[in-house]
mmCIF file of all heavy atoms in Angstrom:
data_model
loop_
_atom_site.group_PDB
_atom_site.id
_atom_site.type_symbol
_atom_site.label_atom_id
_atom_site.label_comp_id
_atom_site.label_asym_id
_atom_site.label_seq_id
_atom_site.Cartn_x
_atom_site.Cartn_y
_atom_site.Cartn_z
ATOM 1 N N LEU A 82 17.645 -2.094 -0.318
ATOM 2 C CA LEU A 82 16.568 -2.481 0.594
ATOM 3 C C LEU A 82 16.308 -1.370 1.591
ATOM 4 O O LEU A 82 17.215 -0.654 2.002
ATOM 5 C CB LEU A 82 16.931 -3.758 1.354
ATOM 6 C CG LEU A 82 16.996 -5.050 0.556
ATOM 7 C CD1 LEU A 82 17.490 -6.188 1.440
ATOM 8 C CD2 LEU A 82 15.646 -5.399 -0.036
ATOM 9 N N SER A 83 15.055 -1.263 1.994
ATOM 10 C CA SER A 83 14.682 -0.268 3.000
ATOM 11 C C SER A 83 15.261 -0.656 4.354
ATOM 12 O O SER A 83 15.654 -1.802 4.568
ATOM 13 C CB SER A 83 13.158 -0.219 3.116
ATOM 14 O OG SER A 83 12.688 -1.400 3.749
ATOM 15 N N PRO A 84 15.254 0.286 5.297
ATOM 16 C CA PRO A 84 15.552 -0.086 6.679
ATOM 17 C C PRO A 84 14.454 -1.029 7.191
ATOM 18 O O PRO A 84 13.348 -1.054 6.648
ATOM 19 C CB PRO A 84 15.505 1.248 7.435
ATOM 20 C CG PRO A 84 15.622 2.300 6.391
ATOM 21 C CD PRO A 84 15.045 1.725 5.132
ATOM 22 N N HIS A 85 14.758 -1.790 8.223
ATOM 23 C CA HIS A 85 13.760 -2.685 8.820
ATOM 24 C C HIS A 85 12.625 -1.864 9.429
ATOM 25 O O HIS A 85 12.854 -0.788 9.990
ATOM 26 C CB HIS A 85 14.402 -3.541 9.915
ATOM 27 C CG HIS A 85 15.336 -4.571 9.372
ATOM 28 N ND1 HIS A 85 16.669 -4.318 9.151
ATOM 29 C CD2 HIS A 85 15.118 -5.850 9.000
ATOM 30 C CE1 HIS A 85 17.235 -5.398 8.670
ATOM 31 N NE2 HIS A 85 16.324 -6.348 8.561
ATOM 32 N N SER A 86 11.420 -2.393 9.304
ATOM 33 C CA SER A 86 10.241 -1.713 9.828
ATOM 34 C C SER A 86 9.149 -2.733 10.093
ATOM 35 O O SER A 86 9.120 -3.785 9.448
ATOM 36 C CB SER A 86 9.748 -0.697 8.798
ATOM 37 O OG SER A 86 8.537 -0.125 9.211
ATOM 38 N N PRO A 87 8.240 -2.433 11.013
ATOM 39 C CA PRO A 87 7.061 -3.294 11.148
ATOM 40 C C PRO A 87 6.062 -3.004 10.026
ATOM 41 O O PRO A 87 6.072 -1.919 9.437
ATOM 42 C CB PRO A 87 6.480 -2.892 12.506
ATOM 43 C CG PRO A 87 6.940 -1.500 12.717
ATOM 44 C CD PRO A 87 8.267 -1.370 12.021
ATOM 45 N N ILE A 88 5.202 -3.955 9.743
ATOM 46 C CA ILE A 88 4.083 -3.723 8.825
ATOM 47 C C ILE A 88 2.975 -3.006 9.586
ATOM 48 O O ILE A 88 2.443 -2.003 9.123
ATOM 49 C CB ILE A 88 3.591 -5.051 8.217
ATOM 50 C CG1 ILE A 88 4.630 -5.576 7.223
ATOM 51 C CG2 ILE A 88 2.229 -4.868 7.543
ATOM 52 C CD1 ILE A 88 4.335 -6.959 6.671
ATOM 53 N N LEU A 89 2.641 -3.518 10.763
ATOM 54 C CA LEU A 89 1.641 -2.869 11.614
ATOM 55 C C LEU A 89 2.372 -1.933 12.562
ATOM 56 O O LEU A 89 3.173 -2.375 13.394
ATOM 57 C CB LEU A 89 0.827 -3.910 12.397
ATOM 58 C CG LEU A 89 0.040 -4.908 11.549
ATOM 59 C CD1 LEU A 89 -0.705 -5.887 12.451
ATOM 60 C CD2 LEU A 89 -0.924 -4.188 10.608
ATOM 61 N N MET A 90 2.093 -0.652 12.449
ATOM 62 C CA MET A 90 2.805 0.370 13.207
ATOM 63 C C MET A 90 2.246 0.480 14.632
ATOM 64 O O MET A 90 1.061 0.190 14.855
ATOM 65 C CB MET A 90 2.692 1.720 12.501
ATOM 66 C CG MET A 90 3.060 1.674 11.016
ATOM 67 S SD MET A 90 4.712 1.060 10.703
ATOM 68 C CE MET A 90 5.616 2.559 10.898
ATOM 69 N N PRO A 91 3.065 0.929 15.584
ATOM 70 C CA PRO A 91 2.629 1.020 16.986
ATOM 71 C C PRO A 91 1.382 1.881 17.212
ATOM 72 O O PRO A 91 0.567 1.567 18.053
ATOM 73 C CB PRO A 91 3.839 1.621 17.702
ATOM 74 C CG PRO A 91 5.000 1.329 16.827
ATOM 75 C CD PRO A 91 4.470 1.290 15.422
ATOM 76 N N ALA A 92 1.191 2.942 16.448
ATOM 77 C CA ALA A 92 0.062 3.847 16.670
ATOM 78 C C ALA A 92 -1.175 3.451 15.861
ATOM 79 O O ALA A 92 -2.093 4.245 15.715
ATOM 80 C CB ALA A 92 0.475 5.275 16.333
ATOM 81 N N GLY A 93 -1.198 2.236 15.326
ATOM 82 C CA GLY A 93 -2.372 1.776 14.591
ATOM 83 C C GLY A 93 -2.311 1.977 13.097
ATOM 84 O O GLY A 93 -3.268 1.666 12.393
ATOM 85 N N GLY A 94 -1.212 2.472 12.586
ATOM 86 C CA GLY A 94 -1.055 2.643 11.146
ATOM 87 C C GLY A 94 -0.445 1.398 10.512
ATOM 88 O O GLY A 94 -0.245 0.372 11.161
ATOM 89 N N MET A 95 -0.136 1.521 9.247
ATOM 90 C CA MET A 95 0.377 0.375 8.503
ATOM 91 C C MET A 95 1.337 0.847 7.423
ATOM 92 O O MET A 95 1.175 1.926 6.855
ATOM 93 C CB MET A 95 -0.805 -0.367 7.879
ATOM 94 C CG MET A 95 -0.482 -1.664 7.249
ATOM 95 S SD MET A 95 -2.046 -2.485 6.797
ATOM 96 C CE MET A 95 -1.407 -3.997 6.159
ATOM 97 N N ARG A 96 2.338 0.028 7.150
ATOM 98 C CA ARG A 96 3.246 0.218 6.019
ATOM 99 C C ARG A 96 3.097 -1.045 5.180
ATOM 100 O O ARG A 96 3.334 -2.149 5.678
ATOM 101 C CB ARG A 96 4.679 0.355 6.524
ATOM 102 C CG ARG A 96 5.687 0.612 5.432
ATOM 103 C CD ARG A 96 7.097 0.625 5.966
ATOM 104 N NE ARG A 96 7.352 1.753 6.826
ATOM 105 C CZ ARG A 96 8.497 2.420 6.883
ATOM 106 N NH1 ARG A 96 9.511 2.072 6.120
ATOM 107 N NH2 ARG A 96 8.642 3.428 7.697
ATOM 108 N N TRP A 97 2.693 -0.907 3.904
ATOM 109 C CA TRP A 97 2.371 -2.107 3.148
ATOM 110 C C TRP A 97 2.559 -1.912 1.648
ATOM 111 O O TRP A 97 2.059 -0.958 1.061
ATOM 112 C CB TRP A 97 0.920 -2.515 3.408
ATOM 113 C CG TRP A 97 0.526 -3.735 2.650
ATOM 114 C CD1 TRP A 97 -0.330 -3.778 1.573
ATOM 115 C CD2 TRP A 97 0.948 -5.065 2.881
ATOM 116 N NE1 TRP A 97 -0.455 -5.074 1.132
ATOM 117 C CE2 TRP A 97 0.325 -5.891 1.925
ATOM 118 C CE3 TRP A 97 1.805 -5.659 3.806
ATOM 119 C CZ2 TRP A 97 0.532 -7.262 1.865
ATOM 120 C CZ3 TRP A 97 2.003 -7.020 3.754
ATOM 121 C CH2 TRP A 97 1.371 -7.806 2.794
ATOM 122 N N ARG A 98 3.257 -2.809 1.074
ATOM 123 C CA ARG A 98 3.313 -2.975 -0.373
ATOM 124 C C ARG A 98 3.824 -4.381 -0.615
ATOM 125 O O ARG A 98 4.999 -4.663 -0.392
ATOM 126 C CB ARG A 98 4.191 -1.936 -1.043
ATOM 127 C CG ARG A 98 4.085 -2.085 -2.548
ATOM 128 C CD ARG A 98 4.515 -0.856 -3.299
ATOM 129 N NE ARG A 98 4.240 -1.104 -4.698
ATOM 130 C CZ ARG A 98 3.535 -0.309 -5.470
ATOM 131 N NH1 ARG A 98 3.035 0.804 -4.987
ATOM 132 N NH2 ARG A 98 3.338 -0.603 -6.726
ATOM 133 N N HIS A 99 2.957 -5.263 -1.030
ATOM 134 C CA HIS A 99 3.285 -6.680 -1.128
ATOM 135 C C HIS A 99 4.234 -6.991 -2.281
ATOM 136 O O HIS A 99 5.072 -7.879 -2.164
ATOM 137 C CB HIS A 99 2.002 -7.505 -1.254
ATOM 138 C CG HIS A 99 2.232 -8.962 -1.101
ATOM 139 N ND1 HIS A 99 1.968 -9.848 -2.092
ATOM 140 C CD2 HIS A 99 2.713 -9.692 -0.058
ATOM 141 C CE1 HIS A 99 2.268 -11.067 -1.690
ATOM 142 N NE2 HIS A 99 2.718 -11.002 -0.455
#
Side-chain angles (χ1 to χ4, degrees):
L82 291 175
S83 71
H85 289 89
S86 174
I88 289 173
L89 300 179
M90 310 303 275
M95 188 172 183
R96 182 185 292 217
W97 180 251
R98 186 160 185 127
H99 191 242

